[in-house]
Amino acid sequence: AQSVTQPDIHITVSEGASLELRCNYSYGATPYLFWYVQSPGQGLQLLLKYFSGDTLVQGIKGFEAEFKRSQSSFNLRKPSVHWSDAAEYFCAVGDAGGTSYGKLTFGQGTILTVHP
Amino acid sequence: IAGITQAPTSQILAAGRRMTLRCTQDMRHNAMYWYRQDLGLGLRLIHYSNTAGTTGKGEVPDGYSVSRANTDDFPLTLASAVPSQTSVYFCASSTGRNQPQHFGDGTRLSIL
């Protein structure tokens, strides 16, 4: 069965600092990978997705993620964090096979706090 | 604005009562999903629907039922609510397999 691990429950960075959120997945074939962001009281918003091709994926709000098959990782990065980036971030892997027609398995989430 | 509408936004419910959470999308997406979100556990899939007329069980289906009579609506029913079903419930939809899912704003449900 597919699974996703986000090792960091909570990360604190200073505004303007760089950011990397870790995501490791377990999946038998080429995964479909996503990063979502959730602001308090809101639903999830898609930041970026990886299906195939270039392993460095650009997303919205200045985020990018790199797919590394050898490490089973899909880490999210941003070169300079803004106070508005404070939120909870979820990594997810898609189910490419089976009968569940694209259900997502989510990691536990990483809460990002940004200090001024 | 196209998207997913969930109702109610929040609800406090006595244990043993029946409750239906509503979800409507206007994007004509084939696939729809119900997740529950609990602290430290991320989002877990309750039920899904590939297309109108079909449904399937997710990771945590016990105590919940769904129906998909048409493309737009995907209600989630708690037949007899229990305190462990206190959670935030999200409905989502997508155009198909491994396409990005669009989420509603959630229903915060408290079972007392």
Side-chain angles (χ1 to χ4, degrees):
Chain A
Q2 62 203 53
S3 65
V4 177
T5 300
Q6 293 179 246
D8 304 305
I9 296 174
H10 195 172
I11 284 183
T12 300
V13 299
S14 298
E15 190 169 17
S18 63
L19 172 70
E20 182 170 31
L21 302 182
R22 296 184 291 165
C23 172
N24 295 100
Y25 67 89
S26 173
Y27 189 69
T30 299
Y32 293 73
L33 295 162
F34 306 84
W35 273 100
Y36 286 85
V37 60
Q38 183 182 33
S39 297
Q42 302 293 314
L44 278 71
Q45 180 185 19
L46 179 70
L47 283 177
L48 48 79
K49 62 182 185 285
Y50 171 78
F51 287 174
S52 64
D54 193 345
T55 56
L56 185 62
V57 180
Q58 301 297 321
I60 62 172
K61 304 184 180 185
F63 285 92
E64 67 178 26
E66 186 171 12
F67 170 60
K68 293 185 177 181
R69 183 188 301 276
S70 62
Q71 299 177 17
S72 297
S73 68
F74 189 57
N75 295 348
L76 182 71
R77 300 194 295 248
K78 187 169 184 177
S80 178
V81 170
H82 189 262
W83 65 265
S84 62
D85 293 324
E88 189 164 13
Y89 292 80
F90 291 93
C91 181
V93 60
D95 181 4
T99 60
S100 57
Y101 205 64
K103 73 179 181 72
L104 297 181
T105 299
F106 286 85
Q108 302 92 324
T110 298
I111 297 171
L112 174 65
T113 299
V114 180
H115 281 166
Chain B
I1 298 176
I4 293 180
T5 302
Q6 291 187 239
T9 303
S10 65
Q11 183 76 43
I12 299 174
L13 189 68
R17 297 294 297 270
R18 179 184 180 90
M19 176 72 190
T20 296
L21 307 185
R22 300 185 297 278
C23 174
T24 300
Q25 54 109 353
D26 60 5
M27 298 173 284
R28 308 301 294 172
H29 285 174
N30 284 327
M32 296 188 75
Y33 312 86
W34 273 107
Y35 295 90
R36 60 177 290 175
Q37 183 178 30
D38 302 288
L39 191 64
L41 297 177
L43 281 81
R44 295 178 292 169
L45 182 68
I46 304 171
H47 285 288
Y48 65 92
S49 171
N50 293 343
T51 188
T54 69
T55 62
K57 294 181 178 180
E59 182 182 357
V60 288
D62 293 344
Y64 305 95
S65 64
V66 292
S67 62
R68 187 89 184 276
N70 57 61
T71 297
D72 299 341
D73 301 300
F74 191 44
L76 176 73
T77 297
L78 289 68
S80 180
V82 295
S84 62
Q85 292 177 310
T86 294
S87 186
V88 182
Y89 292 85
F90 287 98
C91 181
S93 70
S94 72
T95 56
R97 178 172 293 172
N98 292 304
Q99 295 304 307
Q101 292 183 11
H102 300 259
F103 285 80
D105 286 338
T107 294
R108 184 173 298 274
L109 185 62
S110 297
I111 313 297
L112 303 180

